[in-house]
Amino acid sequence: MHYHRKPGWLIPESKATPESVFMQRRKFLAGSAAMAAGGILGAAGGIGCAAEDDTDKTLDLYPAQRNPEFTLDRPLTEEEVAAAYNNFYEFGPVKTISRLAQRLTIRPWQVEVGGLVNNPQTFDIDDLIRAMPLEERLYRLRCVEAWAMAVPWTGFPFSALIKKVQPSLQARYVKLTTFLHRTVALNQLRVWYPWPYEEGLTIEEAMNELTLLVTGVYGHPLPKQHGAPLRLITPWKYGFKSIKSIVSIEFVKERPVSFWETLAPKEYGFWANVNPAVAHPRWAQSTERMLGTDEKYDTVIFNGYGQWVAGMYPTLREREYFF
Ligand code: MTE
């Protein structure tokens, strides 16, 4: 993710290291980062297996039963690949943040659900996960940067939580917020970013069958770099909508302005529905590259999930809701 008033250290996608070179360098960098970080991270686990916090009381719920309704048109991305190539700006503006993300403490963790609701509640994360119907779904994720992955998420429909808190009639949008912890997530010390990371959906989008609050991946709890202990997944939208490490879910009347929209409104809009025909101002969106294999696929409108979501966007001007 880049934005037009970018500091000098942000480079355009076209100049980014090709994936194959990146993957060769990754082993070396992971080794050096581990040595450098060893002192502060202590016993943090390795890439891809660092999720299981000692005090996570939900381990028995994994793997959850797979929902057969959602199938893939391509192989799953290797777990180690997905776990080592992340966007999590709180820990830095590069993809290699997986070890730094282990600094985040994910238990105890509370999620405040409030705003325009009849039944506001603050949930302890373990109680919330246990109260919700967990299932596994195979979804594609398409990043606005034109890379993609296919992964088995574990989570529960956002609609199940919404039913618990009962939004009032004035609620039209839902605003989601990530933690703010500047001494743990050191990139939050950089004041030109509008921390904390925020995202938003319409209530209708949040209620859509596809919209998941995710607690796990590849059959176990989420690794921290993927947004433990709770993140959003909306597979028909660009990946930046899928906010990580959520601490607050607020039902509001006005449309929220997200982190990326604040930084670069002409590049990262509110709707962010995947559409190969609407280019990003600085690169095409017609194809996507799979992480790990570099396979190219044609990008499909709504990332191929039109049968579930196209009906939500009949009245807006075309360009608007693909941006
Ligand atoms: N959530 C937070 N809090 N901070 C971030 O920087 N990056 C987003 C999204 N959620 C981001 C975030 C972007 S741009 C993408 S593509 C996905 O997370 C990447 O998810 P992954 O690292 O699990 O693949």
Side-chain angles (χ1 to χ4, degrees), residues 37 41 50 55 167 226 260 311:
L41 300 185
T55 51
H226 277 308
W260 283 108

Side-chain angles (χ1 to χ4, degrees), residues 229-308:
L230 188 74
R231 75 175 291 176
L232 179 72
I233 287 291
T234 47
W236 72 100
K237 293 179 179 285
Y238 290 117
F240 65 89
K241 297 293 291 184
S242 66
I243 181 172
K244 296 178 171 181
S245 305
I246 297 166
V247 294
S248 155
I249 299 176
E250 188 185 357
F251 292 78
V252 295
K253 201 170 173 180
E254 308 295 335
R255 180 169 86 66
V257 180
S258 71
F259 177 86
W260 283 108
E261 192 182 1
T262 306
L263 281 170
K266 296 198 174 122
E267 305 200 5
Y268 309 113
F270 173 78
W271 298 102
N273 293 322
V274 174
N275 186 347
V278 177
H280 182 277
R282 289 182 288 122
W283 58 83
Q285 293 291 23
S286 49
T287 61
E288 62 207 40
R289 172 181 57 85
M290 294 305 290
L291 290 188
T293 62
D294 276 351
E295 273 176 294
K296 284 245 162 46
Y297 287 86
D298 288 339
T299 292
V300 180
I301 194 157
F302 294 119
N303 202 22
Y305 293 99
Q307 74 179 95
W308 288 274

Side-chain angles (χ1 to χ4, degrees), residues 1 86-90 149 178 197 226 231 239 242 244:
M1 301 285 293
N86 303 100
N87 275 328
F88 204 165
Y89 268 66
E90 286 81 344
M149 60 181 185
T178 296
Y197 199 100
H226 277 308
R231 75 175 291 176
S242 66
K244 296 178 171 181

Side-chain angles (χ1 to χ4, degrees), residues 3 22 33 47 65 99 101 114 122 145 156 158 174 186 198 297 302:
Y3 62 100
F22 166 78
I47 287 169
Q65 194 161 11
R99 287 195 180 263
T122 298
E145 296 164 338
F156 55 87
F158 200 164
V174 55
L186 299 181
E198 288 183 351
Y297 287 86
F302 294 119

